[in-house]
Each structure stands twice: as structure tokens, then as C-alpha cells.
């Protein structure tokens, strides 16, 4: 993880930008919306690696503890519209989380709560603290992502987070659920768990996660044109409470 105290000048508002001159047909074709997505989770769960994988398609050869906040971007096209995801990789270590990360909660559109499937917490509620985060995030799109599925060992189920428990937890907190591996592209269903005669583990491809998050964001937001600056439209997002009931994919 690079040490990077991201500058406030970077797109703190959701924006609909027209990269070429206003009013021309080509500007309409090249428009895109930018959405800020926070990656949150305990230290070592793989936020940085997942951010790299989601944005660059690669697992980083070296990952160090994040200090402060770093971000990476990925643009995808959904139904003819370019959606830019700006993934903000926050520090998992408590000392950084408390002091700095909250500064970056502003103008967030979605949150990915990451946990390590090989590290069961004493209770599901301690993966993240709804009480603490609800204040900021209750109106946002929220996703629960189990990472490091490649490290699951069927014979050691008691040392891993039960997927059904995680799915129930996600549903009860209005989150969409994914389980994946930033390191090794997972098969959709864990063959190991099938062999062991257990409930098959559902696994999600990184690309599916990117497209689902972008698609949900595209449908979740409505925009208000608020100002025009520097030859580009600046559009402020109007946040709408999500009515849709989530289901696991
Ligand atoms: N096997 C496996 N290892 C992973 C995976 N994702 C991350 N790791 C490893 O887990 C360790 C921690 O990864 P990071 O991405 O730095 O974790 P982080 O959540 O960003 O940690 P902080 O910056 O301290 O908050 C590294 O050694 C990674 O190589 C994965 O999907 N599978």
C-alpha cells in the first residue's frame, strides 16, 4: 500500500463530467459519473489487494499496511453510460482509522465492508459495528465482502466464517453479499466444499463484483445539476434511501 494522504481536491462530490466542450454531441457521448466507494475492514483482511484487483485486475506483489487513505479508479460501461468507481482504500489499523479515516466519509456513495473468511469474529456483529457506521452509512449502498476464499479449507470449517451466517448478517443489515478472493480467481462454487459434502460455498468473480457495484450505483442515484465550472458540468448527487430489498447473488 502506498502511503498517500489523498488531497481534498480530488472529487469529493459526485460529478457528472463532460470532458469536451459543453453542448456538443461528442460531449454527451463522453459523459461519465464518478462514484466514491469506501473500502472498510479490519487490518489485514485484504482491502488493498482487493482494491488493486478490482481496479487494475491484478493482485499486488507487495502489500504493506495502509496509512491513512489511498484510492484507485476503475471505469466501466453500464448500459451505454460510463461509470467511474473511485475506490478509497482506508487503513484498517485502529490508530489510523479513528484519527483520519472519518475525514473521508464525506460524499461517499457506497461502502464495501471487507472481512477475511479465514478469521471468524467472536460474533458476526463485530465484523463491523453498525452502531458506529450507521450514522454515516445507513442511506448508502452497502456491500459485505468475504475475502481470501482461496484459503478456505473444508476440513477446518470451525476456523472460518460460515457463509450462510455471513449472508444472513448481510441481509439483516441491508447489504448485498459477495465472497471472493483477491489472489486467485474463484470458481463460482467451491469444489472443495462440494467434495466434502457440505453446503457449497458461493463465490463471486472480481469482475462480477465491479459490474454489480457500478450497476447498483447507476440505478441508485439521481442527479441535480448544480453548477457549471471550468467548462464542465458539476452535478451534485441527491441521495435516495434504497427501497429495494437486497438479495444475495
Ligand atoms: N491468500 C490470500 N491472501 C490475501 C488475499 N487478499 C489479501 N491477501 C494477503 O493478506 C495480507 C494483507 O493484505 P492487505 O491488502 O494489505 O490488507 P489490508 O486490509 O489493506 O490491511 P491494512 O492496510 O492494514 O488495513 C497480504 O499479505 C496479502 O497478500 C486473498 O484473497 N487471498
Amino acid at each position: 500500500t502506498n502511503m498517500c494522504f489523498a488531497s481534498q481536491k480530488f472529487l469529493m462530490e459526485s460529478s457528472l463530467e463532460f470532458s469536451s466542450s459543453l453542448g456538443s454531441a461528442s460531449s454527451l457521448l463522453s459523459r461519465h459519473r464518478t462514484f466514491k466507494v469506501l473500502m472498510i475492514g479490519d487490518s489485514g483482511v485484504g482491502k488493498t489487494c482487493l482494491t488493486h484487483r478490482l481496479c487494475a485486475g491484478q493482485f499486488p506483489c507487495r502489500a504493506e499496511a495502509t496509512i491513512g487513505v489511498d484510492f484507485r479508479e476503475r471505469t466501466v460501461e453500464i448500459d451505454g453510460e460510463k461509470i467511474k468507481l473511485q475506490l478509497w482504500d482506508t487503513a484498517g489499523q485502529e490508530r489510523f482509522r479513528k484519527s483520519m479515516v472519518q475525514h473521508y466519509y464525506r460524499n461517499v456513495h457506497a461502502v464495501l465492508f471487507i472481512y477475511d473468511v479465514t478469521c471468524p469474529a467472536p460474533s458476526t456483529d463485530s465484523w463491523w459495528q453498525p452502531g458506529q457506521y450507521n450514522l454515516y452509512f445507513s442511506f448508502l449502498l452497502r456491500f459485505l465482502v468475504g475475502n481470501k476464499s482461496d484459503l478456505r479449507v473444508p476440513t477446518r470449517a470451525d476456523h472460518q466464517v460460515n457463509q450462510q451466517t455471513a449472508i444472513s448478517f448481510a441481509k439483516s443489515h441491508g447489504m448485498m453479499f459477495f465472497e471472493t478472493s483477491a489472489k486467485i480467481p474463484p470458481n463460482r462454487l467451491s469444489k472443495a466444499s462440494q467434495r466434502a459434502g457440505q453446503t457449497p460455498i458461493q463465490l463471486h468473480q472480481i469482475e462480477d463484483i465491479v459490474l454489480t457495484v457500478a450497476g447498483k450505483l447507476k440505478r441508485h442515484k439521481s442527479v441535480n445539476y448544480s453548477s457549471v465550472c471550468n467548462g464542465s458540468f458539476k452535478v451534485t448527487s441527491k441521495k435516495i434511501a434504497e427501497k429495494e430489498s437486497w438479495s444475495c447473488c
Side-chain angles (χ1 to χ4, degrees):
T1 307
N2 292 330
M3 179 172 155
C4 173
F5 297 95
S7 164
Q8 295 292 334
K9 73 178 175 169
F10 285 112
L11 303 174
M12 298 302 281
E13 302 290 331
S14 166
S15 60
L16 179 59
E17 295 172 351
F18 290 76
S19 50
S20 50
S21 63
L22 290 176
S24 72
S26 63
S27 70
L28 286 169
L29 291 174
S30 64
R31 71 179 191 174
H32 64 266
R33 275 188 285 172
T34 300
F35 294 103
K36 181 176 173 182
V37 179
L38 271 193
M39 309 286 281
I40 283 187
D42 291 341
S43 182
V45 298
K47 297 180 297 297
T48 300
C49 294
L50 208 48
T51 304
H52 274 253
R53 179 65 98 183
L54 291 163
C55 293
Q58 286 173 346
F59 188 77
C61 44
R62 214 162 63 93
E64 292 160 8
T66 305
I67 299 169
V69 178
D70 198 0
F71 83 83
R72 299 190 144 252
E73 291 180 334
R74 169 79 194 273
T75 302
V76 291
E77 196 165 313
I78 309 277
D79 300 332
E81 184 187 1
K82 285 197 173 118
I83 302 288
K84 189 190 274 184
L85 297 178
Q86 203 173 67
L87 299 186
W88 289 62
D89 173 21
T90 65
Q93 290 180 23
E94 194 68 16
R95 60 197 163 121
F96 300 125
R97 206 193 302 178
K98 282 249 160 78
S99 58
M100 298 199 56
V101 173
Q102 290 185 8
H103 292 300
Y104 297 92
Y105 289 175
R106 221 179 132 248
N107 297 318
V108 171
H109 303 104
V111 186
L112 266 60
F113 292 97
I114 322 293
Y115 68 94
D116 177 346
V117 299
T118 67
C119 293
S123 82
T124 49
D125 272 25
S126 64
W127 292 336
W128 62 286
Q129 291 121 25
Q132 182 188 337
Y133 290 120
N134 263 354
L135 180 65
Y136 303 100
F137 300 142
S138 58
F139 55 91
L140 302 176
L141 289 184
R142 286 163 295 155
F143 302 83
L144 183 64
V145 185
N147 187 37
K148 305 194 188 181
S149 65
D150 57 292
L151 296 181
R152 275 195 183 278
V153 181
T155 51
R156 306 210 60 198
D158 52 330
H159 291 273
Q160 294 156 23
V161 177
N162 179 289
Q163 193 184 68
Q164 289 310 313
T165 310
I167 288 172
S168 304
F169 178 82
K171 274 187 178 161
S172 66
H173 289 91
M175 297 188 277
M176 196 167 187
F177 174 81
F178 299 111
E179 181 168 328
T180 194
S181 164
K183 190 168 190 175
I184 300 171
N187 292 324
R188 281 190 182 277
L189 295 176
S190 157
K191 288 189 181 127
S193 67
Q194 278 176 312
R195 272 200 301 276
Q198 299 162 349
T199 311
I201 302 284
Q202 288 181 56
L203 299 174
H204 301 93
Q205 301 293 332
I206 293 291
E207 207 50 26
D208 291 345
I209 297 174
V210 174
L211 293 175
T212 304
V213 171
K216 290 283 177 192
L217 279 164
K218 176 181 158 70
R219 289 189 291 277
H220 184 66
K221 312 301 290 185
S222 76
V223 289
N224 281 337
Y225 291 85
S226 62
S227 61
V228 177
C229 56
N230 298 330
S232 66
F233 268 114
K234 271 278 184 203
V235 178
T236 306
S237 294
K238 187 177 166 189
K239 297 181 174 70
I240 303 174
E242 176 82 323
K243 291 280 188 291
E244 180 183 355
S245 65
W246 293 96
S247 62
C248 298
C249 55

